[in-house]
Amino acid sequence: MEAYKLWVRRNRDLVRSLESLANGLTWILPERFANSEIVPEAVYALLGVVSSVNQHIIDAPTENHSFASKEQSIPWGLVVSVLKDVEAVVEVAAQHFVGDDRKWSFLAVMEAVKAGVRLAAFRESGYKMLLQGGEVENEEEVTVLENNYGVNGNGVPAIYPMDGHAGNGHKAMTKGLDGKNGFVSKSLEKRAVAALNKFGENAKMMSDPMWMRRLQPTPEPTVMVAEKPTLASIWSAKGGTGRLFVLGEAVHIFRPLLYVLLIRKFGIKSWTPWLVSLAVELTSLGIHSHATDLSHRLGKVHQLSSAERDELKRRKMMWALYLMRDPFFASYTKRHLQKAEQVLNPVPLIGFLTGKLIELLEGVQTRYTYTSGS
């Protein structure tokens, strides 16, 4: 496995080219797969999983820089990507073996697992907004609390005066060992500070002939580092804005699961799942907007990063998928598409392309995983 990781990192351009070629070849799969869509869907999913794994290997820090990276036990973004690819296969297989009505039970299980993984990723990130449904890590800059110990520009721990006047060294307090703003490993910083203190102690002993009489154990200095916030700290420190933010993100995470459960109960042709899902989307965005406005009015520290603002824009754009979901699609969208096809059909080439596009949209609309936006 290590050899494969090394090969991927050294040939990242070749890997991406091979992935693009493989994805292009899936459009010309042999017709022998037409009797069952499980095989082509499994091929798509396998390619998606391989692509996600390769991207994770490329983005992961190398061993030489792993000490400067944020410790993370499980790559939650990779898990979310794999689950999304597997969910498409589960839907096709369930539809083939148990039918359209009973497939929603399997999809509900998949959405419940995805919601659990996203909650874990949300907690692991320090309750920061999930980007791309948790597939992309939210690398928002971490503000390190002011303390008496920091890191200088060369990556060596530096001791700041007790009066808080750190001079130019204070600007480097949040510099990681890799030269980027970020989090410094607590254990690494402690070891470095302890080594620095030991060096100073040895130097002092060498210059003091009476050191034998004053040899006493020196307590390890207390080092304050920026730690990952907990739910309790957000609840107490950020007040109402932090609570609203966490609530809005939790609502967004559980929206797909609620949507599938309602379809399982009322059916895909019912307006209840469609309306409730849209209402939940609007509620989540409204909570985020209210939390941000309240933060501005109260002068609190909770501010959205540029990546989080882009994520909110992306979520708004995903509302277009509601046009592709039943019963809205069957009642309105499909009718307008058919009218457009009738108008453009006499036009050479354009009419042909329009017909193929509408055929593709109608096929995509039959798959929950293609239009779920989760």
Side-chain angles (χ1 to χ4, degrees):
M1 188 62 183
E2 293 300 326
Y4 177 74
K5 291 181 180 179
L6 182 61
W7 182 84
V8 170
R9 292 193 183 103
R10 290 179 176 177
N11 302 275
R12 58 185 65 187
D13 293 334
L14 176 62
V15 170
R16 292 193 176 101
S17 298
L18 292 176
E19 290 173 355
S20 300
L21 177 61
N23 288 325
L25 292 176
T26 58
W27 290 93
I28 55 173
L29 285 174
E31 290 294 329
R32 62 176 180 270
F33 294 144
N35 294 331
S36 175
E37 296 183 8
I38 299 177
V39 174
E41 199 64 58
V43 173
Y44 303 150
L46 179 61
L47 291 176
V49 171
V50 172
S51 178
S52 299
V53 172
N54 290 338
Q55 190 62 43
H56 174 72
I57 293 174
I58 293 173
D59 295 338
T62 59
E63 293 182 359
N64 295 333
H65 298 86
S66 59
F67 54 83
S69 63
K70 182 175 65 175
E71 296 181 0
Q72 187 176 7
S73 57
I74 301 177
W76 297 112
L78 177 61
V79 176
V80 173
S81 299
V82 172
L83 286 175
K84 291 178 68 174
D85 290 325
V86 172
E87 187 178 24
V89 182
V90 170
E91 179 183 7
V92 174
Q95 185 175 359
H96 178 77
F97 291 108
V98 300
D100 290 335
D101 295 334
R102 297 178 60 185
K103 75 174 184 180
W104 297 106
S105 298
F106 294 90
L107 290 174
V109 173
M110 291 298 302
E111 289 295 351
V113 174
K114 286 163 59 179
V117 170
R118 283 169 174 154
L119 280 179
F122 187 42
R123 180 178 179 275
E124 184 74 20
S125 67
Y127 299 95
K128 294 189 290 187
M129 182 181 295
L130 297 180
L131 305 180
Q132 301 284 340
E135 295 184 74
V136 178
E137 184 179 358
N138 191 340
E139 297 179 347
E140 181 183 2
E141 293 183 358
V142 179
T143 302
V144 181
L145 298 176
E146 184 175 352
N147 49 59
N148 295 328
Y149 301 93
V151 180
N152 61 23
N154 296 324
V156 180
I159 301 179
Y160 296 106
M162 293 298 295
D163 59 359
H165 299 287
N168 295 331
H170 179 70
K171 297 180 180 179
M173 183 162 54
T174 59
K175 294 285 284 183
L177 297 184
D178 58 351
K180 299 179 181 179
N181 293 333
F183 175 76
V184 180
S185 174
K186 185 176 181 179
S187 60
L188 178 64
E189 187 175 2
K190 280 188 176 182
R191 290 198 301 270
V193 171
L196 187 62
N197 287 339
K198 186 176 180 180
F199 174 79
E201 182 182 355
N202 293 336
K204 182 178 180 181
M205 287 191 297
M206 293 296 295
S207 62
D208 191 350
M210 305 298 293
W211 65 272
M212 286 292 294
R213 284 183 258 174
R214 293 173 307 178
L215 183 59
Q216 294 180 352
T218 303
E220 185 179 355
T222 303
V223 180
M224 296 179 61
V225 296
E227 296 190 358
K228 189 166 49 183
T230 62
L231 187 60
S233 65
I234 292 178
W235 232 247
S236 59
K238 295 186 178 180
T241 58
R243 299 171 190 176
L244 286 174
F245 175 80
V246 173
L247 177 61
E249 201 64 12
V251 169
H252 177 74
I253 290 174
F254 282 101
R255 196 278 310 169
L257 175 59
L258 177 62
Y259 178 56
V260 172
L261 290 175
L262 290 175
I263 293 178
R264 182 173 177 269
K265 181 178 181 179
F266 295 100
I268 190 64
K269 299 300 182 181
S270 174
W271 281 95
T272 300
W274 193 90
L275 292 173
V276 171
S277 179
L278 180 59
V280 172
E281 293 268 21
L282 295 174
T283 301
S284 175
L285 181 66
I287 292 175
H288 279 305
S289 299
H290 182 67
T292 304
D293 294 340
L294 183 62
S295 176
H296 283 298
R297 290 199 300 267
L298 299 180
K300 295 293 184 66
V301 296
H302 177 70
Q303 302 291 338
L304 296 179
S305 64
S306 59
E308 291 173 339
R309 289 192 294 269
D310 292 339
E311 171 63 17
L312 291 180
K313 295 178 182 178
R314 186 193 71 86
R315 294 181 184 181
K316 292 179 182 178
M317 293 179 62
M318 296 297 287
W319 292 352
L321 291 175
Y322 281 91
L323 302 177
M324 298 295 297
R325 299 174 189 168
D326 281 333
F328 190 92
F329 181 85
S331 301
Y332 300 99
T333 308
K334 186 176 181 179
R335 185 174 59 193
H336 288 84
L337 289 176
Q338 291 175 347
K339 290 181 179 180
E341 183 180 12
Q342 293 176 358
V343 172
L344 297 176
N345 189 45
V347 182
L349 184 60
I350 295 180
F352 173 78
L353 295 177
T354 302
K356 289 299 181 181
L357 177 60
I358 294 175
E359 182 181 351
L360 178 62
L361 291 177
E362 291 179 350
V364 167
Q365 190 272 334
T366 60
R367 293 282 180 264
Y368 162 79
T369 49
Y370 296 163
T371 62
S372 63
S374 65

